[in-house]
Amino acid sequence: MFSRHVTRNVTGQFQRFQSTLLIAEHNNENLLPITQNALTAAKKIGGEISVLIAGTKCGPAAEQLAKAEGLSKVLVAESDSFKGFTAENIAALIVAAQNQFKYTHIIAGASSFGKTLLPRVAAKLDVSPISDVIGIKSADTFIRSIYAGNAIQTLQATDPVKILSVRGTSFEASQLGSGSAAVEKLPSDGCDTQLTSFISQELSKSDRPELTSAKVVVSGGRGLKSGDNFKLLYDLADKLNAAVGASRAAVDAGYVPNDLQVGQTGKIVAPDLYIAVGISGAIQHLAGMKDSKTIVAINKDPDAPIFQVADFGLVADLFKAVPEMTQKL
Ligand SMILES: Cc1cc2nc3c(=O)[nH]c(=O)nc-3n(C[C@H](O)[C@H](O)[C@H](O)COP(=O)(O)OP(=O)(O)OC[C@H]3O[C@@H](n4cnc5c(N)ncnc54)[C@H](O)[C@@H]3O)c2cc1C
């Protein structure tokens, strides 16, 4: 007798059905958009998709999720040990779910949440995690970005369970529609690892759109020369209903907080319009924004590498060009 994941295909060989566990990212009240991007990636793998949602009181987020089309199950685990979404405890939950249901794929967004979680799960299951996936060719062949986006790798994974973090900007968001997936409770016994405890968090509030989901982003670099001068970019952003981002050099110099950083070690964005102001275009910065649909660069150096990826370039002193642009809008 075979388990429900095993069948005989037309050539008479045994094969496992694809069954994916998608790890939802949410804040208990609402799903975070990357979950819908990761769901699209999960659908490309094929087979059954279950979603795991772990939190404290995550009923509202689970209800939103159950409306997604193409899900067979929403597994809900609620416990105080998931307060703050600490990776240690949620990893223990995922490993327990994997031992019970034997998924062929475990998938999450390549966000800070997914990036801290999945390597732990992979280590516990003794397989290699596959990070930063930007394309799915088949159930075992994936395209990923390596060397800060300077090379694209196609890899075939042979591990029995494939653990993938997927880049949100590479997959359209799956719509939450008229789906009605079954919602099941998952026990969370044994998930309080006592390795970390959540103390508090402070969320920065802004009236501007969120950086990773904004349609327009205005980013500043070291060329701005001070934090005060970022006001030029905030004024422009307000006219365009844009989010403000920054290069790492601007963050390291203390001009702006590090949650604004775009790039390899910052946020990955792909807005309709990205305006890079006083940014040279180092590969680590490009890794975070080169998938933007239209890129505009303002730089006084005509040889700045940013012009190689820009659709429109303006060789100019930003201190003149930006106020002029803002005034004309
Ligand atoms: C492991 C690693 C990870 C990294 N991760 C990131 C990352 O996530 N994101 C990131 O951004 N960087 C990252 N970096 C740093 C990266 O290599 C660059 O140092 C950084 O991106 C440079 O920032 P910048 O373009 O603002 O500064 P600079 O390279 O100093 O460029 C400033 C630009 O401003 C222009 N300029 C100056 N004055 C004016 C003016 N008045 N008008 C118009 N233009 C002007 C100059 O011509 C110049 O091109 C990383 C580096 C490493 C090693």
Side-chain angles (χ1 to χ4, degrees):
M1 180 155 165
F2 305 113
S3 84
R4 68 188 186 86
H5 294 302
V6 181
T7 186
R8 196 190 286 269
N9 70 11
V10 282
T11 60
Q13 294 165 320
F14 296 116
Q15 70 174 36
R16 292 174 82 200
F17 277 129
Q18 311 304 337
S19 60
T20 297
L21 180 66
L22 168 67
I23 314 300
E25 198 167 335
H26 63 99
N27 60 11
N28 287 311
E29 290 295 316
N30 289 303
L31 276 186
L32 299 190
I34 194 155
T35 305
Q36 287 161 257
N37 303 106
L39 175 55
T40 303
K43 285 180 182 168
K44 285 187 190 250
I45 292 168
E48 282 189 359
I49 304 171
S50 299
V51 187
L52 173 61
I53 177 158
T56 43
K57 287 187 178 127
C58 52
E63 272 173 35
Q64 289 167 21
L65 199 49
K67 293 198 186 115
E69 275 159 32
L71 295 185
S72 39
K73 250 192 250 173
V74 176
L75 300 167
V76 183
E78 289 182 322
S79 160
D80 275 352
S81 51
F82 304 136
K83 219 177 188 179
F85 307 105
T86 51
E88 290 79 0
N89 292 353
I90 298 182
L93 177 73
I94 297 170
V95 171
Q98 174 61 17
N99 289 338
Q100 186 179 350
F101 297 110
K102 310 275 184 259
Y103 297 103
T104 56
H105 298 74
I106 298 175
I107 189 165
S111 57
S112 305
F113 173 76
K115 284 180 189 169
T116 18
L117 191 58
L118 292 188
R120 291 168 203 275
V121 175
K124 295 268 184 201
L125 298 175
D126 197 20
V127 298
S128 304
I130 304 163
S131 58
D132 249 336
V133 170
I134 57 172
I136 310 259
K137 291 196 96 159
S138 72
D140 66 358
T141 307
F142 312 104
I143 304 170
R144 60 188 291 257
S145 158
I146 54 171
Y147 299 123
N150 255 7
I152 303 294
Q153 179 185 57
T154 301
L155 74 85
Q156 188 172 27
T158 53
D159 279 325
V161 47
K162 286 135 189 99
I163 299 196
L164 318 173
S165 68
V166 298
R167 198 179 270 188
T169 52
S170 301
F171 299 92
E172 289 290 321
S174 281
Q175 294 309 311
L176 302 177
S178 51
S180 54
V183 178
E184 283 180 23
K185 292 259 176 215
L186 196 65
S188 49
D189 315 331
C191 292
D192 187 2
T193 59
Q194 313 258 321
L195 291 170
T196 46
S197 62
F198 174 75
I199 295 176
S200 70
Q201 73 179 5
E202 280 171 36
L203 293 175
S204 48
K205 289 218 158 121
S206 164
D207 295 335
R208 294 198 174 79
E210 205 272 317
L211 186 54
T212 51
S213 54
K215 294 208 176 318
V216 182
V217 173
V218 180
S219 273
R222 192 167 8 219
L224 266 293
K225 297 195 169 52
S226 75
D228 288 346
N229 289 336
F230 259 75
K231 178 164 186 324
L232 294 174
L233 301 195
Y234 287 120
D235 291 346
L236 178 60
D238 286 344
K239 287 272 177 87
L240 295 168
N241 190 28
V244 171
S247 70
R248 176 158 158 185
V251 169
D252 287 351
Y255 301 169
V256 286
N258 69 356
D259 57 336
L260 263 54
Q261 184 178 318
V262 171
Q264 183 190 343
T265 43
K267 291 184 173 149
I268 310 272
V269 301
D272 292 341
L273 174 62
Y274 187 89
I275 306 179
V277 181
I279 291 179
S280 59
I283 54 163
Q284 295 89 352
H285 187 80
L286 301 186
M289 45 63 75
K290 69 178 166 38
D291 291 333
S292 304
K293 293 199 178 64
T294 302
I295 298 172
V296 173
I298 303 173
N299 198 304
K300 68 177 184 187
D301 174 6
D303 296 325
I306 191 77
F307 288 126
Q308 288 166 21
V309 296
D311 301 286
F312 300 96
L314 180 61
V315 180
D317 183 343
L318 71 90
F319 294 103
K320 285 195 186 132
V322 174
E324 270 174 32
M325 264 173 89
T326 309
Q327 208 178 9
K328 283 188 183 146
L329 286 167

